[in-house]
Amino acid sequence: MEALAAEASRAATMGNMQLYSLVVTTDGPEREALAAAHHHQPMAEEAPAILTFCADYNRFSLWCGLRQADPGYDNFASFANAVTDTLLFAQAFITLAEERGLGTCILGTTVYNPDMIIDALHLPRLVFPVLTAAMGWPGEFPEQTDRLPAAAVIHNGTYGNYAPEDIERIYAYKESLPESRHFVEINGTDNLAQVFTRFRFTRDECMEMSLRLEKALERQGFSLPGRKV
């Protein structure tokens, strides 16, 4: 694990500050608490290790305090910088792990229950969970899931907005997949986009997640624009 972390730490970082920490959880009550935070998904309960990648301004701020330097990193801009650092490190770590034959699965539930993860891992002020991955040795090698064509995400010179015919072309393959048509059928919608907006990621759920994230950020000491902690 340390060898992977050392190599992944070569990823780009804001001001060479390395604003991230990795919590590796394998067993104990904290593992049970994490499983609950991740809705008891099978990989959260069965994988040998759960990796929680955290945006971390705590360590750097403690160092500043010991050197009579006044840290001013309890704000949203600093949080955004730490999140960027964390995701760069996490992606490098996961890529390196998979190159060595390990299997990983991202748990998107991190943004649903940050408070539960903070409690489970005893995260101090200025530390915030950003991304979680289950890791172990894979027992199977399923086919890769679909992705949009590369041309869908590349813009030359400036951002060129999408005409209706562009959108039709970009999403044609995804909509044609048997599993996509199955989702439309079982949810009783007219198309795949409605499955997302009505059932998978609804407006109300996104707003609820946003409020939980806002409260958790304030709890961890990151002030939001227009607010004081």
Side-chain angles (χ1 to χ4, degrees):
M1 197 70 69
E2 287 190 13
L4 283 171
E7 194 169 349
S9 69
R10 302 312 305 172
T13 170
M14 175 72 177
N16 199 25
M17 291 188 283
Q18 294 184 251
L19 305 171
Y20 49 79
S21 281
L22 169 60
V23 182
V24 181
T25 308
T26 57
D27 53 24
E30 59 270 24
R31 178 63 187 266
E32 296 174 8
L34 282 181
H38 293 293
H39 299 169
H40 294 286
Q41 297 176 80
M43 64 286 287
E45 296 193 320
E46 298 170 9
I50 299 297
L51 312 180
T52 308
F53 296 88
C54 301
D56 186 351
Y57 249 115
N58 174 59
R59 181 178 59 247
F60 193 83
S61 295
L62 290 173
W63 175 61
C64 289
L66 286 173
R67 297 295 181 267
Q68 291 74 53
D70 182 22
Y73 307 121
D74 54 348
N75 49 71
F76 188 73
S78 297
F79 173 71
N81 284 328
V83 168
T84 302
D85 264 23
T86 305
L87 293 176
L88 288 168
F89 172 75
Q91 183 60 74
F93 188 100
I94 288 168
T95 299
L96 290 165
E98 292 183 348
E99 287 178 350
R100 287 159 171 76
L102 288 159
T104 62
C105 180
I106 302 299
L107 303 180
T109 36
T110 305
V111 297
Y112 283 75
N113 295 312
D115 264 322
M116 293 177 69
I117 298 172
I118 290 166
D119 288 337
L121 302 181
H122 303 161
L123 301 183
R125 185 176 183 272
L126 299 183
V127 180
F128 200 89
V130 171
L131 183 142
T132 303
M135 189 176 77
W137 298 103
E140 57 182 350
F141 297 90
E143 293 184 9
Q144 291 186 325
T145 54
D146 68 283
R147 292 292 188 268
L148 297 178
V153 300
I154 296 175
H155 301 259
N156 293 314
T158 60
Y159 188 103
N161 210 352
Y162 304 94
E165 57 268 26
D166 297 325
I167 297 297
E168 295 285 357
R169 183 180 65 257
I170 288 168
Y171 285 92
Y173 176 70
K174 180 184 287 288
E175 291 180 322
S176 72
L177 293 170
E179 55 266 35
S180 296
R181 295 198 298 268
H182 177 65
F183 287 148
V184 171
E185 181 180 354
I186 64 175
N187 286 288
T189 60
D190 296 328
N191 54 62
L192 186 61
Q194 291 175 358
V195 175
F196 280 86
T197 61
R198 295 180 185 177
F199 298 102
R200 294 200 65 190
F201 301 99
T202 69
R203 181 186 298 274
D204 287 344
E205 287 176 339
C206 289
M207 286 301 299
E208 184 179 346
M209 278 192 290
S210 296
L211 290 172
R212 285 203 295 267
L213 282 169
E214 181 178 318
K215 290 179 181 178
L217 280 170
E218 292 183 343
R219 168 187 172 181
Q220 293 305 98
F222 291 103
S223 61
L224 299 173
R227 290 190 171 204
K228 293 183 178 180
V229 177

